[in-house]
Amino acid sequence: MDITSVKLVYFSPTGTTGRVVQGIAEGIGAGPVDRVDITTPPGRQTPLTMGPDALLVVAVPVYMGRVPALVLDWLASMRLDGTPAVCVVVYGNRVYDDALLELRDMVAGCGGIPIAGAAFVGEHSFSSTEFPTAHGRPDADDVASAVVFGRTVWEKVQGIADLAPDMAVQVPGESPYRGSNVLWNVDFIVVNDACIQCGTCADLCPAGAIDAVDSAVIDTEACITCCACVKQCPQQARIMMPGPVLDAQKRLHTLFSAPKQPEVFV
């Protein structure tokens, strides 16, 4: 195939998915590379259009075993014309269930041809210093695996003469998809006196759920419990209050401490 460019599309509230994508791009080693960060609302304002001469890498974290509901509409709006695609999910060391299959199906439904897929591990959104789950993932080994995966993908691309829809990669999962894209509607963050109203949390919130003037005001219906605001607060002023999210944090730490490894499908 004559691929003239690579486009990286990623949703990465806490940065784990972005680091995996960067490793894959390094392995692909072809350019030019265009990055489309759809993490915050401004990044999801313009639909994506691609033809058969560009390689698409699309990556999302796994929420409740599914593709995050927040990005479903944007992903479904992609206009792809026989575009070779790589589908990647990043999960918090629990399970990725049907997320990779769901992402692959969405890309194919938009006119793309998924030629490879992968599931990588990233630190769980609920992970903390006290109750860590997949702490520090993706680590150096994970990134190295992402580089190797990218290299393998590029070798496959170079070996394809004529790409057809029936060449789509097979990935694990069930259809109809299990679980739900709908997340908890829960008030789980308390803002302490260390907050200086710098606005960092509001700027980085993927759902626009934090008030730009008073960061203690949170739209719990819009919040996707990604914990980006907790993890990235420069004053460490946002913490989990007792409740279902903190309980889940403790369960994850107890039940999913054994490290899982990347899975690739080419």
Side-chain angles (χ1 to χ4, degrees):
M1 297 185 67
D2 184 17
I3 299 297
T4 59
S5 63
V6 178
K7 194 174 293 287
L8 311 177
V9 174
Y10 55 95
F11 178 73
S12 186
T14 59
T16 56
T17 301
R19 293 201 296 275
V20 170
V21 167
Q22 180 59 40
I24 295 171
E26 182 180 337
I28 291 172
V33 176
D34 182 21
R35 290 166 172 79
V36 180
D37 185 352
I38 61 171
T39 304
T40 56
R44 301 190 295 272
Q45 291 181 352
T46 305
L48 179 70
T49 300
M50 295 179 64
D53 59 347
L55 175 64
L56 169 65
V57 179
V58 56
V60 300
V62 177
Y63 288 177
M64 308 284 280
R66 299 285 300 275
V67 172
L70 187 63
V71 296
L72 288 176
D73 287 346
W74 188 91
L75 291 172
S77 74
M78 293 188 299
R79 296 188 289 268
L80 310 176
D81 181 12
T83 307
V86 180
C87 301
V88 180
V89 297
V90 178
Y91 70 108
N93 204 58
R94 189 180 72 87
V95 291
Y96 60 92
D97 282 340
D98 303 323
L100 183 56
L101 176 64
E102 183 179 15
L103 182 60
R104 188 208 69 161
D105 291 348
M106 291 197 73
V107 169
C110 293
I113 303 177
I115 60 169
F120 283 84
V121 174
E123 181 171 329
H124 199 284
S125 295
F126 294 174
S127 176
S128 68
T129 303
E130 185 177 6
F131 298 105
T133 302
H135 178 71
R137 306 280 302 271
D139 56 21
D141 289 340
D142 295 318
V143 174
S145 294
V147 172
V148 171
F149 174 62
R151 192 174 299 134
T152 303
V153 166
W154 187 245
E155 291 172 355
K156 180 174 182 177
V157 168
Q158 296 300 99
I160 297 175
D162 295 300
L163 186 61
D166 61 2
M167 299 171 67
V169 68
Q170 298 300 307
V171 300
E174 298 180 9
S175 183
Y177 313 125
R178 293 163 287 180
S180 171
N181 294 98
V182 179
L183 301 176
W184 295 338
N185 178 357
V186 58
D187 183 9
F188 75 102
I189 294 173
V190 61
V191 181
N192 63 32
D193 292 340
C195 176
I196 59 172
Q197 299 295 342
C198 66
T200 298
C201 55
D203 290 341
L204 59 79
C205 179
I210 301 173
D211 189 89
V213 177
D214 183 357
S215 64
V217 177
I218 304 168
D219 182 345
T220 58
E221 290 189 7
C223 174
I224 61 172
T225 62
C226 70
C227 297
C229 64
V230 175
K231 292 178 179 290
Q232 299 184 54
C233 174
Q235 305 300 319
Q236 297 182 322
R238 306 176 75 83
I239 58 175
M240 291 186 188
M241 66 175 70
V245 175
L246 188 60
D247 292 343
Q249 180 192 78
K250 296 174 182 178
R251 285 197 306 274
L252 289 162
H253 170 71
T254 301
L255 298 175
F256 302 100
S257 59
K260 298 183 179 181
Q261 301 305 318
E263 299 177 43
V264 301
F265 310 91
V266 181

